[in-house]
Every structure is written in C-alpha cells, then in structure tokens.
Amino acid sequence: MRKLLPFAIGSLLAAPALASDMNVKIEVPRLNVAEYHRPYVAVWIERNDQTLAGNLAVWYDLKKRDNEGAKWLKDMRQWWRRSGRELQMPVDGVSGATRVVGEHSLSFSGDKGVLAKLPPGEYQLLVEAAREGGGREVLKVPFQWAAKGEQNIKVQGSHELGLITLNIKS
C-alpha cells in the first residue's frame, strides 16, 4: 500500500486535463488601406517556457496555385519560428482558409487533439496575424488549463487584430 500511494498521486498529477472546453473568438478588423488582403492568422498554445504545446488553427490562402499561399506563412514570424517551418502544410484539422472582416469563433473540445494531451498548468494562447503588403501583430492571452470554474479573458489588438476572447469551461 505504501508503494502504491506515491504512484497513484504521481499518476494523477501527470494526467492530462479532462472535461475542459476552449472557445476562442478572433476579430479581424476592417482596415482603411488602398490594397486590402485578408490576414494570415495562426493560433497556438505555448507553455510558460515559450515552447510549443500545440497548434490550434492556421488560416492562409489555400487556393493559390502550386501551394503559393504557403510561402507567405513565414510572415507570421513568431509562429513560424515555433512550429511553422517544421510543418508540411496543409495540416488536417488545423489549416483553413483566410477569413473576412468580422468576428470568428473557434471551439476545441478538451478530450480531442492538442487539448486532450495538455497537462494542467499555466499556458498562453497566442494569436498572430500578418497580411501581404501589410502589418503584423501578435497577442498573448495567459490562461490556466484545468482550473476549476470558468475563465473569460479578453485582449484587445491595435491594428491587424481586434478583440480576442478566450473562454474555458471546466
């Protein structure tokens, strides 16, 4: 019994979080520029030591001939350095088309994909946007995974991104 108790406690601490769902709202603002291109957007989770915990979404121009849209992915510099350059795009369940101006919702189930493997702890949700011939912006949203209760966190962008809202329900 004495040997089983530390093993059982260790197993509980190392177990991934269960039954938490994550909802993210991303606002793509209307910009008053001469030549407007929809932004490329990457959404991912980092640990506190700034290592990648997992990619959630990458929006880029999937329809360009010969996968030419992928060449602009490196303009999302922070995401590119963390994981983009190692990925073979498109990635099933992660890649998607660019989005129009407005608010866009993403929902992730805690028992699937990246979140199913995420141990309890403190993390950051990162959202990076870049446009061809435009600017670039990165927003960080700190959160606690597997905390009890509901978390609602909002961060306001200043030019390429609008309001980012993160909601986690346990």
Side-chain angles (χ1 to χ4, degrees):
M1 182 68 172
R2 284 185 152 187
K3 292 181 180 180
L4 289 176
L5 188 57
F7 174 75
I9 291 172
S11 297
L12 288 173
L13 293 175
L18 297 175
S20 293
D21 294 325
M22 177 182 284
N23 297 299
V24 180
K25 288 185 182 174
I26 299 171
E27 181 184 16
V28 175
R30 179 174 303 282
L31 301 176
N32 190 15
V33 293
E35 186 178 344
Y36 180 80
H37 296 278
R38 291 180 182 181
Y40 284 25
V41 175
V43 182
W44 74 100
I45 297 172
E46 282 186 357
R47 297 175 191 92
N48 274 344
D49 63 358
Q50 298 181 339
T51 58
L52 177 75
N55 285 299
L56 297 176
V58 178
W59 302 340
Y60 72 103
D61 194 343
L62 297 162
K63 293 186 176 178
K64 283 194 173 183
R65 191 170 22 138
D66 299 328
N67 201 22
E68 243 180 76
K71 84 175 189 182
W72 297 101
L73 289 171
K74 60 183 85 167
D75 284 357
M76 295 185 291
R77 288 182 242 146
Q78 192 163 344
W79 170 77
W80 184 256
R81 285 191 295 263
R82 295 286 190 272
S83 72
R85 62 182 161 201
E86 298 167 5
L87 294 175
Q88 186 70 32
M89 299 301 280
V91 176
D92 191 33
V94 173
S95 302
T98 56
R99 308 290 167 95
V100 297
V101 169
E103 187 177 280
H104 304 280
S105 297
L106 299 169
S107 294
F108 304 96
S109 176
D111 59 354
K112 296 178 183 170
V114 172
L115 298 180
K117 301 170 190 163
L118 206 61
E122 294 183 15
Y123 296 91
Q124 294 188 75
L125 176 79
L126 282 93
V127 181
E128 183 171 15
R131 287 183 304 115
E132 292 178 40
R136 178 177 99 54
E137 184 171 16
V138 181
L139 294 177
K140 296 180 180 183
V141 184
F143 69 94
Q144 185 149 13
W145 185 243
K148 295 196 180 211
E150 186 171 339
Q151 297 174 67
N152 284 303
I153 306 161
K154 296 180 180 180
V155 174
Q156 179 66 49
S158 61
H159 49 284
E160 297 296 330
L161 291 167
L163 183 66
I164 305 298
T165 305
L166 172 63
N167 173 268
I168 299 174
K169 294 179 183 175
S170 343

